[in-house]
Amino acid sequence: MEIYLDNAATTKPCEAAVNAACDCMRSNYGNPSSLHSKGLSAQLVVDDARKTIAKEVACDPTGVYFTSGATESNNLAVIGAAEAYGKRKPKIITSSVEHASVSAAMDLLEKRGFEIVRISPDTNGEFHHEDFVNAVDDRTCLMSIMAVNNETGYIMPVRRAFYGAKKKNPDIITHCDAVQAFMKKPVKMTELCADLISLSGHKIHGGKGVGALCVRKGVRLIPRVYGGKQERGMRSGTEGVPMIASFGAAVKYLRGTMDKRWEQVSELKQFLLERLKFVDGVTINSKSSASPYIINISAEGIRSEIMLHFLEQKGIYVSSGSACSKGMQSGVLSQFGISASLADSAIRVSLCADNVMYDLKEFALALAEGKERLIYSGK
Ligand code: PMP
């Protein structure tokens, strides 16, 4: 039995993505920069994926730059915009719960002399767009806020914060890390008031090692990678054509089914919450208003990793709920007002529309068993 409930970490590639990647490895293997027809054929694949993503984000295809993933997209957006616009305006506003690929970039800029304002939620763990807007002044060059938090599913007030920020200071550049929202809820450049949007292929049933940064026309960025001037000089290096093809194929596969899948996954979440009512000592850390795709829970008294491995023995895969990578705590849960002891036992269940009620029934049963057995054995 294999029950995969770790879709916020990565998703299983869909058949269309696998086929698209395989085709580019088996036969359409040219270098898009080559001048012969084999190169052109590969270029057409990249262009098609670019157009597909641009359509989904409602931006110009010339503004879609492929990267190695959202980590690179976030680095390029934050550092690239800071370097382009921050000389005379060295202030940046962000949230205190960003993914490490944004927060570490902010730390770096802080060391270089930028003023970084990290907005925290209130004592109930709620963010308010006014807090972001109030921090804006005429020295602010950039505001960066994620769409959906990857540990809790919390939906950030991005649109209202960006709208307010631009009203107060029209020159401000706005960046959204939309990794956990893309293809789950609408991510449209103009509706979000975003100038820069980061996306990742492997969170939406595409391949790993591909992402995109969508850039509004007229926004300048200083590139992070120099060389052969691929991606119109924004990201040099031979394009990862197979993975780019898989990214485009995954978007096409999911297109038009967002509402249906959101509903399906909401039902799955509801089913899980009902089941968990029968398990003693379980706390739901995610808010009821959170994205249904991510449910952070704590089985009190049992450390996350211990429970994670117990579940794994039963063929159930989840994440430890407070880890950004390999067991390192990111501190995001404490920002949301979740106590250290709950954070220590946090498990992240993350869904996709391919999950079924049976998966969650088995998870709840295994969690209950784990709770009894692990507490009994003193772990
Ligand atoms: N931002 C968020 C919100 C994420 O969840 C992730 C993936 N953990 C990333 C950025 C980084 O994406 P990638 O794995 O494509 O580098």
Side-chain angles (χ1 to χ4, degrees):
M1 182 180 72
E2 191 175 284
I3 295 178
Y4 188 75
L5 300 173
D6 202 10
N7 290 280
T10 197
T11 53
K12 181 180 175 182
C14 61
E15 274 304 299
V18 173
N19 289 338
C22 284
D23 184 54
C24 292
M25 298 195 81
R26 288 216 175 89
S27 47
N28 202 358
Y29 53 79
N31 184 329
S33 296
S34 294
L35 296 178
H36 47 68
S37 59
K38 202 85 185 147
L40 177 64
S41 173
Q43 182 66 54
L44 291 177
V45 169
V46 173
D47 288 346
D48 184 61
R50 200 188 308 284
K51 273 191 212 133
T52 303
I53 289 161
K55 191 169 168 209
E56 206 53 46
V57 175
C59 70
D60 198 284
T62 58
V64 176
Y65 297 96
F66 286 112
T67 63
S68 64
T71 296
E72 189 187 330
S73 301
N74 282 341
N75 271 250
L76 174 58
V78 170
I79 302 172
E83 287 182 351
Y85 295 96
K87 286 226 167 61
R88 259 171 276 129
K89 291 187 275 178
K91 181 171 166 183
I92 300 176
I93 299 161
T94 188
S95 88
S96 58
V97 298
E98 296 297 313
H99 185 264
S101 52
V102 167
S103 65
M106 294 293 176
D107 295 346
L108 178 83
L109 291 170
E110 196 164 41
K111 284 198 191 108
R112 290 187 187 166
F114 279 83
E115 180 193 350
I116 311 294
V117 179
R118 298 173 182 84
I119 303 296
S120 293
D122 67 15
T123 48
N124 296 319
E126 297 284 359
F127 278 92
H128 301 283
H129 70 277
E130 299 92 336
D131 293 339
F132 290 93
V133 177
N134 289 340
V136 173
D137 58 22
D138 55 10
R139 293 171 54 253
T140 311
C141 63
L142 175 69
M143 181 178 279
S144 176
I145 311 177
M146 70 197 326
V148 170
N149 181 262
N150 52 302
E151 295 187 35
T152 61
Y154 187 88
I155 299 173
M156 301 290 283
V158 177
R159 195 191 67 78
R160 296 173 84 183
F162 285 178
Y163 179 79
K166 279 189 179 280
K167 215 167 156 192
K168 203 165 162 187
N169 175 358
D171 293 335
I172 201 168
I173 302 295
T174 52
H175 165 243
C176 181
D177 169 356
V179 167
Q180 299 290 352
F182 186 53
M183 301 314 289
K184 296 181 170 69
K185 61 204 289 296
V187 173
K188 306 284 183 200
M189 190 167 257
T190 302
E191 273 170 36
L192 267 183
C193 282
D195 296 311
L196 304 165
I197 295 178
S198 297
L199 308 173
S200 176
H202 71 107
K203 312 284 185 177
I204 63 151
H205 304 280
K208 289 162 192 54
V210 63
L213 181 64
C214 304
V215 181
R216 185 193 291 279
K217 241 195 172 117
V219 171
R220 278 183 306 119
L221 291 176
I222 305 298
R224 313 282 307 142
V225 180
Y226 296 91
K229 290 205 166 30
Q230 287 88 348
E231 297 296 281
R232 292 175 307 290
M234 189 58 78
R235 203 282 192 168
S236 289
T238 301
E239 297 86 342
V241 182
M243 289 302 108
I244 291 172
S246 80
F247 192 6
V251 171
K252 282 184 190 165
Y253 166 71
L254 294 175
R255 211 159 50 183
T257 62
M258 218 149 26
D259 291 347
K260 191 174 121 230
R261 281 183 291 106
W262 184 276
E263 219 170 276
Q264 260 172 272
V265 171
S266 298
E267 277 171 24
L268 291 173
K269 174 181 175 179
Q270 217 38 54
F271 179 80
L272 173 63
L273 296 185
E274 287 300 321
R275 288 273 157 167
L276 291 179
K277 282 185 187 156
F278 300 106
V279 185
D280 278 344
V282 169
T283 303
I284 313 298
N285 298 319
S286 295
K287 296 191 181 300
S288 54
S289 57
S291 162
Y293 284 85
I294 298 178
I295 309 141
N296 193 302
I297 65 174
S298 291
E300 289 150 45
I302 300 161
R303 280 192 30 236
S304 312
E305 288 78 11
I306 306 283
M307 181 59 90
L308 185 152
H309 291 306
F310 177 82
L311 295 169
E312 179 191 13
Q313 281 166 20
K314 302 205 163 271
I316 301 173
Y317 300 100
V318 296
S319 264
S320 101
S322 58
C324 59
S325 77
K326 301 242 179 217
M328 288 256 300
Q329 285 216 0
S330 67
V332 163
L333 292 190
S334 92
Q335 279 296 316
F336 278 109
I338 293 159
S339 71
S341 70
L342 284 180
D344 265 353
S345 58
I347 293 280
R348 180 184 68 183
V349 174
S350 50
L351 307 175
C352 76
D354 298 332
N355 286 121
V356 290
M357 304 252 179
Y358 173 82
D359 299 343
L360 299 170
K361 188 180 108 200
E362 290 299 310
F363 167 76
L365 285 172
L367 191 78
E369 188 188 330
K371 255 221 110 212
E372 257 179 42
R373 287 230 250 143
L374 298 171
I375 283 193
Y376 188 66
S377 67
K379 283 184 174 165

